[in-house]
Every structure is written in structure tokens, then in C-alpha cells.
Amino acid sequence: MCGIVGYVGDQDAVPILLQGLSRLEYRGYDSAGVAIHTEEGVRVHKVSGRIADLVAGLPPGFAGAPGIGHTRWATHGEPTAANAHPHVDMSGQVAVVHNGVIENAEELREKLAADGVEFSSQTDTELIAHLIASALEAGAESLERAVRQALHSVVGAYGLAVLEAGHPDRIVVARNGSPVLLGVGDREMFVASDAAALIGYTRQVVYLDDGELATITAGGYRTFTLEDRSTAKTPSTIDWDVVGAEIGDHAHFLIKEIHEQPRAVERTLKGRIDERFDTVRLGGLNLPVREAREFRRVKILACGSARLAGEQGALLIEDLARIPASTESASEFRYRNPVVEPDTLYVAASQSGETIDTLMAVQELRRKGGRVLGIVNVVGSTIAREVDGGIYLHSGPEISVAATKSVTSTVAAFALLALYLGRMRDLSPAEGRRIIDGLRALPGQVEEILEQTEEIARVAADLAHCTDVFYIGRRRGCPVAREGALKLKEISYVHAEAYSSAELKHGPLALISPDTPTVAIVPDDDLLAKNISTLSEIRARKGPVIAIAHRELPADLADHTIIVPKNEPELDPVLMCVPTQLLAYHVAVALNRDVDKPRNLAKSVTVE
Ligand code: F6R
């Protein structure tokens, strides 16, 4: 969603801001802007459109420092240049970029209007600029103090950065519910809402907590609270590299990330297999064995693809640890006043670690004393810092809006958790060994599937002519089907629906026709006969079938079979997911879609 970048130092801020903003493009946005400090005061340049438009329209001589920049994903007010950030007060002294939503915006707007303030946008952010300027006019002796005073009257979520004319040495930032991190350079400092913006500049970062502010100057930073109590923060090191966030020779980040899956899964597993005891080591769980044995249920909370990976996770936990496990949409959970049980282990899964609904579910759990683990990709993200412990995916940066490598890595992480919980209960060493061998085989087997990319692209070319596609699967195939359908609709805009194979004849079969193909997940397992009978029902209605299976299905059952290598039945779904990603990708390419930035979608959903 919206992105913030800021720079204080001796260099011209503009190229740094533009570079940082283009690294945040993946989050989704519809307008962008920058503000810089110059000898003539604060100068602002903003556009409705892409960073390329912002660059193309830069006024001559537009240079200075410090500076702040923003990519906006419209929530309050149209995606126009006027509504784009940065916003300035009436005198043009104070410039603000802001992520989040101010809940008492209407009340503040009325108050400011009564004081004679005229507004130049429909945004809630502009109100913050006016509030800070009013505090300065009323005698606040520093920008920090003015920002603190302004924020005392603001109710809502914010991550913000503020620049003031006449103060070329500093930017003031604040965080409440929307991520802000500081980047520590050599005689220069950065601020960003997402570490991706800092790649190439620094790996030393300081994460602000909710209710925290910071002043950054070229020489360093000071963090403090709204009441001006200093807080002590030490920098941590981020492990992402430039290459991970570059597109390289690939046409899209999405296909790059699909192809990164073997290495991503490898990294999720790395250092965690305990050969000696046929189990795994998960030091980050912070969960003593005695306590871990007491849990009688596991409840997984997540959104979107992470939720579907969680559904696979629940099945793994039930299968391997024999603990009843279920998955729920984090947003449904948080709004239904959930009963939080002491003998339930809660697990929040999130690639970004910033998804607001998942974060709120975690906070609700913590308020009620629940034990909550995180399965998260982005190190140092808010969810990762709020949970009691967890497993980092270490899949590397996922830039494309649609989740791919984070999905397979999340399922691999759930397999580790399931194995860990299983081996401390009734899963035998031999069974533990079987799953470990299966996990180790995954990266190579994903490679084998990726070698079929061309063939899958040919199948996708046929799907691209369809308006509706069904995805079906049974048991472990269900979440695979659901994830496949989500991926297809999300990036190709082709309508897709997923059903449990058994549910088909309870309604959707009525829609099967020669124009409605079905992608069927058909593993070679104990339910093969059942799956074959479902395929026969579809074929009897002349429905085209694309099967994802362990061996070629006869032509009377499927028009195409995409063959995936066989692993252990519990782990087969990880592999069966990969062809669905490739299908969605190639349909989207055939339809000329904006694959990495599908319409209306953002990478991390940080507002409701
Ligand atoms: C789908 C997709 C989304 C995310 C969801 C949760 O491809 O990317 O459905 O999975 O928004 O995001 P995280 O995992 O960051 O919490």
C-alpha cells in the first residue's frame, strides 16, 4: 500500500527518494510525490500516476535535502495530484507524508476550517500538516514538539514523516499502527515504511514501535514518545540483498519469484533439521517442550494466500502431530470477540508481517493472554515483533503483489512446526525421518516442475480464452485448488472458483459445460478413485479438464495432465501448488495484464 521514503544528509535527496519510491512501487499505488528542503523553502512535486511520470515531470533545478517522498494508494479522496502526498500547510512551511487513516478527520477538518484554514485536498493527511503548522505558530519551540502536540489531537493510524522550512538538518517521523523504520547510514539517515526502499543504501535499521517518534539528522537519530520520554533503540541488520529485489533478466518479478522457490524453500529449511533425533530445531519459537506438549488445539490466523497456506498447515499439524488444527481468516476472528483458550496454540501467518487484520488478531490474542506464534517472511516486521515467537521464512524479498514463493515457504514452515509438535508427541522417529526426507526432496522436485514451464504456458494459452474456470481438489488438494483459483483471478482477472471435489455435485456441477474448464488436483493417493469419479462426472458434461497429477491421466479423463513428482502425501500439496502459479502467470501474460501490479491490489494491506 502507501509508501514513505525520507533522506537527511549531504547528498541531493531527489535521486535517493525516487530510487526508494521505485523500490516501493510493488506495494501498489496510484499517485506519488516528493518534497525537498531548498534555500527558497520547501518545494513539492507530485503527480497522479507512476514514478516514471513523477520523474518525467521534475521541474528544472529540483534538488535539495532533506527530502521526503510518498507513493499513495487512494483510500480517502481520488488518486489526483492534489490528493497525492506530500501535503503542506497554507504557508508552505510544513510538508507531511503519511500512511494510515485518521479516524477523527471530519472533526479535525471542521475545527481547522473554523480557524480559517483552507484545504487544497480531500485527504486526512493535509490536516496533519495544518495541525503541525498551527502548533508552530502558537509557539511550539521545535518541530518535534509541534508534531507531538498535533498528534495528541489525532485519533487513528499513522506512519508519517515531516519536513519544515528553515530546518535543513532534520526530519521528524512518527508511528502508530503503520510501519516506520529508520535507516542508519554514514553521516546520513533514511526513513522508510518498508525496508525495501533502503536496499542499496544501508542494512542498518531501527524499527519504531507504536506511539514512538524520532528525529533524524545526518549525524544520527533520537527516538522518543508522545510525552517526550526518550526510548533507547539499537539498529539491527537486514539480510536482504540488492539482487533479491532486482528483476534481473526476468520479464516480471512474479516469474522470477516462482523460479526462486527451490532456493526459498531451501532457506526456510536451512539449519532447522535435526538429523540426530529425526526432528527439527526451531529456536525462535520460544516454546519450552513441556508447554508445547500441553496444547490441545492449534488455530491459524492469516489472510488471502497466507490463509490458504495456513489451511495446508492445519492439515499438516493434524496429520503429523495429531492435534486438532483449523485456520480462520484473521479479519473474521478479530471481529467476532473470539474465545481465547489457554490450551490453544495460535499461529499468525503473514509474508509481509504488516497485514492489518492479522496484526489486529495477534493483538486481540495478546490482550486475552493467548500464546501466539508467527510464521512471517519480513524480518523485524510488526507481526514478527508482536508475537511470542515464531519461524521466519527467509524466502527473501517478495516484490510481486501476488504471493508465490512465500506460499510454498509458509507451507514448508508449517511442515517444520508440525514435525516438531509431532515428534514431541506420537510421531515415531521413522515417520519423522520420512517427512525430513520429503522436505529435503522438495527443492529439487520444484525445479523439475519449473522445467515444464513451456508446456504449462501452452495449456495456459487455452485457458486465457475462458471467462470462468473451476478448481477442484479433495482434502489436501482443497487449499491447493483455492490458492490456484485466487492466483488466477488476482493476476489474470479471469473468474475462477474453487470447490472441494465432493462439493461439485452439490451445486456447481450445473455450470460445467464445454466452455468451463476445470483444473483438478489429482494426487496418486488413497482418494484417487474418488477423484477419478469426479472427473468422469465433469467429462460426462463435456467439461474440459486440466489435471495436476502424479501420472498421465487417460484422455477420457483429462485434456492435459501436468505431471508433478511424487513426494510424501503430506507434502505433495507444496508441489501441486507450483503448476497453478505457472498457469495463472501465463494466462495473465497471454491477456497482457500488469502481472506484478494487478489492478486494485496492494502488496501489504495495512489499512482496513
Ligand atoms: C495473494 C496475496 C494476498 C496476501 C494477503 C496476506 O496472492 O498476495 O492474498 O496473501 O494479503 O498478505 P501477508 O501474507 O503479507 O499477510
Side-chain angles (χ1 to χ4, degrees):
M1 298 205 116
C2 305
I4 291 176
V5 188
Y7 171 79
V8 193
D10 292 340
Q11 301 185 57
D12 174 15
V14 177
I16 296 168
L17 298 178
L18 294 174
Q19 162 82 358
L21 291 180
S22 42
R23 291 232 187 255
L24 298 184
E25 276 194 294
Y26 79 97
R27 298 173 66 94
Y29 71 108
D30 35 44
S31 55
V34 287
I36 46 163
H37 195 284
T38 70
E39 281 179 6
E40 296 85 50
V42 171
R43 288 185 74 187
V44 177
H45 170 55
K46 46 194 194 174
V47 295
S48 161
R50 298 283 174 187
I51 305 298
D53 304 314
L54 189 71
V55 174
L58 272 181
F62 191 84
I68 52 178
H70 193 260
T71 46
R72 173 172 185 257
W73 198 74
T75 52
H76 290 55
E78 309 266 285
T80 58
N83 285 336
H85 303 200
H87 287 283
V88 291
D89 69 301
M90 283 202 298
S91 65
Q93 293 293 295
V94 172
V96 177
V97 290
H98 162 229
N99 290 351
V101 175
I102 303 304
E103 284 161 22
N104 60 340
E106 279 325 301
E107 185 195 314
L108 293 173
R109 192 181 297 275
E110 277 169 30
K111 240 194 237 158
L112 286 162
D115 291 344
V117 170
E118 285 170 19
F119 303 101
S120 45
S121 77
Q122 302 159 298
T123 65
D124 48 2
T125 303
E126 185 189 343
L127 308 174
I128 304 176
H130 295 303
L131 288 172
I132 297 170
S134 308
L136 286 167
E137 269 163 40
E141 71 274 16
S142 66
L143 180 60
E144 287 83 342
R145 188 168 194 114
V147 173
R148 286 196 294 109
Q149 280 179 8
L151 291 181
H152 273 298
S153 43
V154 165
V155 178
Y158 51 78
L160 52 90
V162 188
L163 193 68
E164 187 194 359
H167 286 90
D169 63 331
R170 66 192 51 213
I171 294 173
V172 175
V173 299
R175 171 195 166 131
N176 189 40
S178 193
V180 174
L181 52 105
L182 316 179
V184 184
D186 182 14
R187 293 291 309 155
E188 57 186 4
M189 284 286 297
F190 305 82
V191 53
S193 52
D194 178 331
L198 306 182
I199 289 171
Y201 294 110
T202 179
R203 286 166 183 243
Q204 295 297 305
V205 297
V206 175
Y207 298 97
L208 291 195
D209 287 315
D210 281 348
E212 215 168 22
L213 296 88
T215 303
I216 62 166
T217 59
Y221 62 92
R222 180 177 91 85
T223 53
F224 50 98
T225 65
L226 274 179
E227 284 69 43
D228 202 21
R229 261 182 289 110
S230 286
T231 53
K233 288 305 234 322
T234 43
S236 44
T237 307
I238 41 176
D239 60 357
W240 290 2
D241 57 14
V242 183
V243 178
E246 301 282 7
I247 196 160
D249 295 335
H250 300 272
H252 301 99
F253 276 108
L254 192 72
I255 193 69
K256 173 180 184 244
E257 287 158 10
I258 289 174
H259 278 267
E260 281 172 350
Q261 289 179 110
R263 298 295 81 76
V265 170
E266 231 164 54
R267 282 201 298 270
T268 304
L269 304 179
K270 196 170 166 199
R272 288 170 165 161
I273 308 276
D274 182 345
E275 303 282 355
R276 206 165 141 219
F277 297 105
D278 299 314
T279 182
V280 291
R281 277 183 297 264
L282 297 170
L285 288 189
N286 297 330
L287 191 59
V289 176
R290 285 242 169 87
E291 277 178 48
R293 282 184 55 90
E294 299 298 311
F295 292 115
R296 294 168 59 86
R297 262 175 300 279
V298 176
K299 175 96 192 176
I300 299 162
L301 301 162
C303 298
S305 289
R307 177 173 58 80
L308 297 171
E311 286 187 6
Q312 293 197 37
L315 290 167
L316 278 159
I317 291 167
E318 287 207 347
D319 276 342
L320 302 181
R322 304 304 297 150
I323 308 175
S326 61
T327 303
E328 186 176 352
S329 155
S331 62
E332 294 301 323
F333 177 84
R334 64 178 278 213
Y335 283 123
R336 69 175 170 77
N337 191 21
V339 178
V340 174
E341 302 154 308
D343 56 1
T344 299
L345 176 63
Y346 296 89
V347 185
S350 173
Q351 186 285 130
S352 61
E354 302 294 350
T355 299
I356 188 81
D357 284 318
T358 312
L359 173 61
M360 291 297 174
V362 168
Q363 290 178 344
E364 180 70 7
L365 279 166
R366 306 254 350 225
R367 240 189 319 276
K368 292 181 166 172
R371 180 67 167 247
V372 53
L373 301 180
I375 293 190
V376 172
N377 190 31
V378 178
V379 175
S381 56
T382 312
I383 293 172
R385 288 182 296 129
E386 294 251 342
V387 288
D388 295 300
I391 307 174
Y392 275 125
L393 302 182
H394 299 306
S395 333
E398 191 176 69
I399 304 292
S400 193
V401 163
T404 52
K405 63 176 175 174
S406 67
V407 174
T408 42
S409 280
T410 301
V411 183
F414 272 115
L416 292 174
L417 180 62
L419 186 50
Y420 177 74
L421 294 173
R423 284 288 294 119
M424 68 177 65
R425 289 178 166 76
D426 295 330
L427 194 76
S428 68
E431 282 288 280
R433 165 63 35 203
R434 178 176 69 80
I435 298 300
I436 288 173
D437 290 344
L439 285 169
R440 285 203 191 288
L442 282 176
Q445 291 181 317
V446 175
E447 302 265 20
E448 279 179 52
I449 300 170
L450 294 174
E451 280 161 19
Q452 301 175 52
T453 298
E454 274 177 32
E455 187 198 323
I456 295 175
R458 276 196 294 279
V459 178
D462 290 342
L463 277 189
H465 300 296
C466 303
T467 47
D468 306 281
V469 181
F470 274 119
Y471 282 71
I472 57 166
R474 233 172 248 271
R475 193 174 51 186
R476 302 181 190 109
C478 268
V480 177
R482 277 200 270 275
E483 170 59 13
L486 175 62
K487 214 91 302 171
L488 185 72
K489 60 187 146 201
E490 177 182 24
I491 60 171
S492 74
Y493 318 150
V494 172
H495 172 237
E497 273 195 69
Y499 277 94
S500 137
S501 305
E503 278 291 311
L504 207 61
K505 57 178 174 299
H506 294 290
L509 199 56
L511 288 175
I512 293 292
S513 76
D515 300 325
T516 314
T518 299
V519 177
I521 311 300
V522 195
D524 211 349
D525 62 9
D526 54 320
L527 295 179
L528 183 62
K530 300 262 175 231
N531 281 324
I532 286 182
S533 116
T534 306
L535 293 186
S536 305
E537 284 160 9
I538 296 171
R539 296 305 265 184
R541 275 92 192 160
K542 302 205 165 12
V545 170
I546 297 159
I548 300 177
H550 287 131
R551 57 186 148 105
E552 184 83 33
L553 296 188
D556 59 333
L557 288 179
D559 300 278
H560 301 280
T561 308
I562 301 169
I563 299 176
V564 297
K566 203 160 164 22
N567 194 301
E568 297 302 325
E570 296 88 341
L571 299 173
D572 280 333
V574 179
L575 299 168
M576 297 231 153
C577 245
V578 179
T580 69
Q581 300 168 342
L582 288 166
L583 277 176
Y585 173 74
H586 287 290
V587 172
V589 170
L591 294 172
N592 211 12
R593 305 298 192 216
D594 191 350
V595 175
D596 286 332
K597 296 184 215 94
R599 69 185 179 205
N600 306 336
L601 299 179
K603 183 62 181 163
S604 62
V605 182
T606 50
V607 291
E608 289 190 64

